[in-house]
Amino acid sequence: MMAATTSGVTPPTKGEQTRASIIDAALSLFEESGYDASTMRAIAERAGVSVGNAYYYFSSKEELIQGFYDRNAAQHEARAAVDLEGVTDLVERARVNLRAWLDENAGFHEFAGVFLRTASDPASPMSPFSSESAGARDRAIGGWRLVVEGSDAAIPDTIREELPELLWLYQMGIVLFWVHDRSEGMAATRLLIDRTVPMLMRAVEFSALPMVREVVNDLVTLIADLRRLQIEPA
Amino acid sequence: MMAATTSGVTPPTKGEQTRASIIDAALSLFEESGYDASTMRAIAERAGVSVGNAYYYFSSKEELIQGFYDRNAAQHEARAAVDLEGVTDLVERARVNLRAWLDENAGFHEFAGVFLRTASDPASPMSPFSSESAGARDRAIGGWRLVVEGSDAAIPDTIREELPELLWLYQMGIVLFWVHDRSEGMAATRLLIDRTVPMLMRAVEFSALPMVREVVNDLVTLIADLRRLQIEPA
DNA sequence: GTCTATAACTAGATAGAC
DNA sequence: GTCTATCTAGTTATAGAC
């Protein structure tokens, strides 16, 4: 709202500092003891503020999860950009992107259950399909667009445009599986990724088949029709 | 634990009666005011018991949801059996089964959001994939088996065995969509069902294609491999 | 007017007596 | 089996400090 006081970087106001310290306290406690065991009182104490003050910045405990969400999305983006350098095969690029996500979130596996619990409530702004999540969703889909565009693969026109969003949806499925994965070192999720990515790409090739293409077209019009129904009543 | 006292029907013990009255009170309150607004104190009061006593029968508020779950599953089963009589076309039978579910659950749409929130926590016994839900899941898959077996469709051997479970998984997807559906009279979900069931059946036909069959085989072995990974570490 | 703190409220859950 | 009394933790009301 006001001009910057010193350098070009945003000057951290007192409020922003307090806000950051609350998020830091929350995330470190979540990682140490899990979501449920981390009380708002403990979070506030570690952040060096009162409970009431914490609620001035975050209107609920669940809202603190958004901090986790944002931070990890940014870290994943950076890591994927590095790992993708020099890789041109589409299947490999997709694997790299998913593995980067997996590694970036390794420490939050237990915590993710709570996250999913919140995210799957359609009324919650944390839902990946909600309008509040539109920014994060678009960023993630944009990441997939880079994966596709940086590859040397020939993609059928039938689904060229929709592929990044489709891959994001596929990723949501992988995440859902990951949350339930109890295997050592997430071996099951890694196997799932390694095996399904090639299948998915073969399915993309199928989409050029006339028979399949018909179904794809049906799906596209269906989605358009559904969007209309969902939006009209508001 | 004891021999029946009178007729062949199970004699309702005192505990069973109390248990039933708590569930009745809970479900009626949920329907009236929603899940969150229905406090355990209000439920206990309507049931004519103390809060502590309610917790003697149900170890958490969420556990009361299982009552809703069981009751509706039974009602859906009965309704579907009637509606399916005389219908032989597989696509139509699948539609009938899904519409029966939809109609049976029409009154619980808002409440279902909470249900989903609970069910999607992998740690929760309410998850449709949990071992605690195995009974309900098997009943639902059995219902789909009746849908398939009562039809005159020729189903490729490739997936004959897996089709009922596949259809149940598809139904879980429909339910997920339904929970998010804000359209008048669930028009969007009905459209989704009417359009995707034929697509699904056409996809089943595809599974006979050699190219596609290969992918199906890959999927089957993948699932077997995943099961092994998930089960070993316990 | 933006922050911050203390005290109180609410509702899920538990302990222990009867 | 059932109750009363109590605990815990998320949330809010409200008053005051910068």
Side-chain angles (χ1 to χ4, degrees):
Chain A
M1 303 298 182
M2 291 194 64
T5 47
T6 47
S7 65
V9 199
T10 323
T13 68
K14 183 119 165 275
E16 276 165 1
Q17 277 177 301
T18 310
R19 190 187 181 83
S21 71
I22 294 169
I23 287 217
D24 287 343
L27 292 193
S28 64
L29 267 172
F30 290 163
E31 224 170 331
E32 279 171 37
S33 345
Y35 179 79
D36 288 329
S38 307
T39 71
M40 285 300 281
R41 285 163 178 84
I43 292 168
E45 189 180 9
R46 177 168 297 194
V49 300
S50 70
V51 182
N53 198 11
Y55 274 96
Y56 177 80
Y57 289 98
F58 300 92
S59 59
S60 74
K61 186 180 175 183
E62 287 190 347
E63 203 166 286
L64 286 166
I65 300 177
Q66 191 76 47
F68 156 82
Y69 194 83
D70 291 341
R71 175 192 284 190
N72 276 54
Q75 286 177 345
H76 167 242
E77 216 164 304
R79 184 178 197 140
V82 173
D83 293 355
L84 283 171
E85 261 175 67
V87 184
T88 55
D89 181 59
L90 180 53
V91 168
E92 200 46 37
R93 283 178 72 82
R95 278 195 187 125
V96 164
N97 196 37
L98 289 169
R99 288 203 201 106
W101 188 91
L102 208 58
D103 293 338
E104 202 57 62
N105 288 277
F108 296 100
H109 184 255
E110 197 195 335
F111 172 43
V114 181
F115 180 64
L116 182 68
R117 184 174 76 199
T118 309
S120 60
D121 182 350
S124 163
M126 300 294 306
S127 161
F129 303 101
S130 76
S131 53
E132 285 88 345
S133 299
R137 183 173 59 241
D138 291 346
R139 265 214 322 278
I141 294 175
W144 278 111
R145 197 176 308 279
L146 291 180
V147 168
V148 173
E149 285 173 359
S151 88
D152 51 18
I155 297 147
D157 289 340
T158 334
I159 52 156
R160 171 180 291 282
E161 197 53 45
E162 286 81 7
L163 191 53
E165 188 162 354
L166 210 73
L167 284 166
W168 174 77
L169 213 59
Y170 162 67
Q171 186 189 5
M172 293 297 98
I174 298 284
V175 172
L176 195 65
F177 182 90
W178 171 76
V179 171
H180 289 81
D181 188 357
R182 294 277 172 279
S183 65
E184 190 69 32
M186 303 298 134
T189 305
R190 288 175 197 281
L191 182 67
L192 182 71
I193 291 172
D194 288 347
R195 298 260 196 101
T196 55
V197 168
M199 286 186 214
L200 193 66
M201 295 314 171
R202 238 184 307 164
V204 166
E205 290 166 26
F206 292 169
S207 73
L209 292 178
M211 211 177 154
V212 180
R213 183 171 187 156
E214 203 183 314
V215 175
V216 171
N217 285 338
D218 284 358
L219 269 174
V220 170
T221 50
L222 170 63
I223 290 168
D225 289 347
L226 287 176
R227 284 230 169 96
R228 207 169 318 130
L229 273 175
Q230 297 265 22
I231 287 167
E232 265 177 46
Chain B
M1 304 298 184
M2 291 195 62
T5 46
T6 47
S7 66
V9 198
T10 323
T13 68
K14 185 124 165 274
E16 276 165 0
Q17 276 177 303
T18 309
R19 190 186 181 83
S21 70
I22 294 169
I23 286 217
D24 287 343
L27 291 194
S28 64
L29 267 171
F30 289 163
E31 225 170 330
E32 278 171 37
S33 344
Y35 179 79
D36 288 330
S38 308
T39 69
M40 286 301 281
R41 285 164 178 81
I43 292 168
E45 189 181 9
R46 178 168 297 193
V49 299
S50 71
V51 182
N53 199 10
Y55 274 97
Y56 176 79
Y57 289 98
F58 299 92
S59 59
S60 75
K61 185 180 175 184
E62 287 188 346
E63 204 166 285
L64 286 166
I65 300 177
Q66 190 76 47
F68 155 82
Y69 193 85
D70 292 341
R71 176 191 283 189
N72 275 55
Q75 286 176 346
H76 167 242
E77 217 164 304
R79 184 177 196 140
V82 173
D83 293 355
L84 282 171
E85 262 177 66
V87 184
T88 55
D89 182 59
L90 179 53
V91 168
E92 200 48 37
R93 285 178 69 83
R95 277 196 187 123
V96 164
N97 196 36
L98 289 168
R99 288 204 201 105
W101 187 91
L102 209 58
D103 294 338
E104 201 57 61
N105 288 278
F108 295 99
H109 184 254
E110 197 195 335
F111 173 44
V114 181
F115 180 63
L116 182 68
R117 183 175 77 197
T118 310
S120 60
D121 182 351
S124 164
M126 301 293 306
S127 162
F129 303 100
S130 75
S131 52
E132 286 87 346
S133 300
R137 183 173 61 241
D138 291 346
R139 265 215 321 278
I141 294 175
W144 278 111
R145 197 177 307 279
L146 291 180
V147 168
V148 172
E149 285 174 358
S151 87
D152 51 18
I155 298 149
D157 289 340
T158 333
I159 52 156
R160 172 180 290 282
E161 197 52 44
E162 286 81 8
L163 191 53
E165 188 162 355
L166 210 74
L167 285 165
W168 173 76
L169 214 59
Y170 163 67
Q171 185 189 6
M172 293 297 99
I174 298 284
V175 171
L176 195 65
F177 183 91
W178 171 76
V179 170
H180 289 81
D181 188 357
R182 294 276 173 279
S183 66
E184 190 68 33
M186 302 299 135
T189 304
R190 288 175 197 282
L191 182 67
L192 183 71
I193 290 172
D194 288 347
R195 298 263 197 100
T196 54
V197 168
M199 285 186 214
L200 193 67
M201 294 314 170
R202 238 183 308 163
V204 167
E205 290 166 26
F206 292 169
S207 73
L209 293 177
M211 211 177 156
V212 180
R213 184 171 187 159
E214 203 182 315
V215 174
V216 171
N217 285 338
D218 284 359
L219 270 174
V220 170
T221 49
L222 170 62
I223 290 169
D225 289 347
L226 287 176
R227 284 230 169 95
R228 206 168 319 130
L229 273 174
Q230 296 266 21
I231 288 167
E232 266 177 47

